[in-house]
Amino acid sequence: MERSKVVFTKDQIQQRVKELGALISKDYQNEEVVLVCNLKGAFIFLADLCRYIAAPIAIDFIATTSYKGTATSGNVRIIKDLKMDIRGEKILIVEDIIDTGYTLEYIINYLKLHKPKEVKVVTLLDKRCRRLIEIPIAYIGYEVKDKFLIGYGLDYNEKYRELNYIAELGVE
Ligand code: IMP
Ligand code: MG
């Protein structure tokens, strides 16, 4: 692999995801929540998080694209739509990382067209310093600096998603 510096270890991530699961379980109690995972980056976070939630859940996936290499653009597109009918449902969008906020804004607006009861967001990582659109985020794993991160679902040109830790690309 190219040079990289570990930012969050496997154990740190598992501990934090467990804590997020406990917070979510407490907030939803016995109410059903639909976890909408934004592919591809959030798939590993979703897989761990959903097993730490002690509330009734349903799971669906949406896929968006906007990224080329490490440069972002506001051109978000949906490339895989929901399968469920989410009308009247409580939705929790599961994101890997929020950068400018364009992707999330687009997904929230799109989901709202389907008239859910509520839309909230959980993200593992929040690159708050890069935010261009302010969006309330109900649950945040870690706030991170403006560095390009890989691992635990996050990719660089589709590589490194399988790492069980998160690292900064190109740094030793
Ligand atoms: P936004 O639309 O600018 O908020 O970008 C959010 C999306 O960009 C995330 O869902 C990721 O797929 C991707 N992204 C942003 N920062 C990183 C990073 O550091 N590593 C890998 N992907 C990233
Ligand atoms: Mg993503």
Side-chain angles (χ1 to χ4, degrees):
M1 209 232 285
E2 289 159 60
R3 293 173 306 139
S4 70
K5 177 181 135 196
V6 176
V7 179
F8 300 110
T9 65
K10 175 187 175 187
D11 288 352
Q12 286 173 325
I13 296 169
Q14 289 303 319
Q15 180 56 36
R16 188 67 188 127
V17 175
K18 196 173 179 178
E19 287 167 10
L20 291 173
L23 287 172
I24 293 167
S25 306
K26 189 164 158 273
D27 289 352
Y28 290 89
Q29 306 259 343
N30 290 323
E31 282 185 280
E32 180 170 299
V33 54
V34 181
L35 303 180
V36 173
C37 172
N38 182 25
L39 294 171
K40 299 180 203 172
F43 81 112
I44 291 182
F45 177 42
L46 169 84
D48 284 340
L49 181 69
C50 71
R51 288 174 289 175
Y52 288 124
I53 298 177
I57 57 172
I59 295 176
D60 205 351
F61 296 90
I62 197 166
T64 53
T65 184
S66 71
Y67 246 63
K68 297 267 184 292
T70 57
T72 187
S73 82
N75 294 318
V76 184
R77 278 190 303 127
I78 289 183
I79 51 177
K80 187 230 165 285
D81 206 340
L82 291 175
K83 192 171 175 197
M84 285 181 68
D85 176 4
I86 60 164
R87 179 177 289 266
E89 300 284 352
K90 286 194 164 186
I91 306 297
L92 184 60
I93 299 172
V94 180
E95 259 291 17
D96 50 355
I97 186 164
I98 303 169
D99 189 73
T100 62
Y102 281 128
T103 306
L104 195 57
E105 185 200 38
Y106 187 91
I107 293 174
I108 290 171
N109 289 339
Y110 177 74
L111 295 181
K112 283 187 173 166
L113 297 175
H114 296 275
K115 305 268 182 274
K117 185 172 176 187
E118 172 187 285
V119 179
K120 287 187 173 181
V121 181
V122 54
T123 188
L124 181 64
L125 305 173
D126 181 8
K127 254 190 214 180
R128 176 141 300 169
C129 58
R130 294 255 312 159
R131 199 64 40 79
L132 295 176
I133 299 171
E134 224 20 82
I135 299 160
I137 303 168
Y139 311 96
I140 297 169
Y142 301 103
E143 189 175 329
V144 293
K145 299 203 182 101
D146 184 14
K147 298 286 177 355
F148 196 82
L149 302 174
I150 53 165
Y152 199 71
L154 295 166
D155 74 308
Y156 173 63
N157 290 341
E158 301 304 331
K159 291 197 292 185
Y160 313 124
R161 294 191 194 275
E162 73 283 11
L163 303 178
N164 57 20
Y165 57 90
I166 293 174
E168 192 182 322
L169 188 68
V171 183
E172 258 171 320

